Amino acid sequence: GQQVMQIPQYQHVQEGEDFTTYCNSSTTLSNIQWYKQRPGGHPVFLIQLVKSGEVKKQKRLTFQFGEAKKNSSLHITATQTTDVGTYFCAGRQGTNAGKSTFGDGTTLTVKP
Amino acid sequence: NAGVTQTPKFRVLKTGQSMTLLCAQDMNHEYMYWYRQDPGMGLRLIHYSVGEGTTAKGEVPDGYNVSRLKKQNFLLGLESAAPSQTSVYFCASSYWGARSNQPQHFGDGTRLSIL
């Protein structure tokens, strides 16, 4: 079945440093979504990428979808303590209508 | 606007007991999902539903049953709870999307411990 892998599993940074998490799929994806989960909270939708090579930005966050639509990345510039949490990617394969496979997430901690 | 509401928020069960987790959404979403989240393992899909009266198995369906009698509700049942089912359970819902998935809206989760 479809597998979605995320690396790294954990990332500890000093406030102000950049952060990147990578998401890789074993199969071509029709779209990929990114979610953020704060400690003790629930996942919250951040963004969706659909087109090959697509790049989207949300303030300090940059999301990319690979040309082959099998990988994606989330980059945070100049991290802040409010960025703490676990970031998940979720990919949909082909015609699996309504169903996405979540990666295991990257947990970011930021030291002030 | 309540969004997705899960009840209960916490529960402790003994091995072999049964219980039902309730998920209710007020956004008129077609799709609903049940996930479990264990430390370091992300979100694993248990069952999902693409509409009222329909359900389908996800990645880890064994030991669970679901029902979607009304569009706004999605119930997750544990017939005979086992310690391996200790987890945080999240319900989510989304609109239908013809070409791509729509964003999932999650509830606050149910923290379930089985002794």
Side-chain angles (χ1 to χ4, degrees), chain A residues 35 37 48 92 98 100 104, chain B residues 33 37 41 101 104 107-108:
Chain A
Y35 293 80
Q37 183 177 23
Q48 176 165 281
R92 171 184 169 181
S100 294
D104 287 343
Chain B
Y33 315 82
Q37 185 174 38
M41 297 189 74
N101 287 353
Q104 294 185 34
D108 290 336

Side-chain angles (χ1 to χ4, degrees), chain B residues 14-93:
Chain B
K14 293 181 180 178
T15 298
Q17 287 185 318
S18 63
M19 80 161 294
T20 300
L21 280 64
L22 173 63
C23 177
Q25 53 96 3
D26 61 2
M27 296 171 283
N28 202 34
H29 285 168
E30 293 84 5
Y31 291 171
M32 295 187 75
Y33 315 82
W34 275 108
Y35 295 91
R36 60 177 289 173
Q37 185 174 38
D38 301 300
M41 297 189 74
L43 293 157
R44 292 185 291 170
L45 183 64
I46 305 171
H47 288 279
Y48 66 105
S49 167
V50 300
E52 181 179 323
T54 70
T55 63
K57 294 180 180 180
E59 303 169 64
V60 289
D62 294 342
Y64 305 95
N65 57 77
V66 288
S67 65
R68 184 130 181 241
L69 300 179
K70 294 183 179 181
K71 186 177 184 178
Q72 63 268 33
N73 296 334
F74 196 27
L75 278 64
L76 178 71
L78 285 73
E79 291 187 347
S80 180
S84 61
Q85 294 177 305
T86 293
S87 188
V88 179
Y89 292 85
F90 285 102
C91 175
S93 69

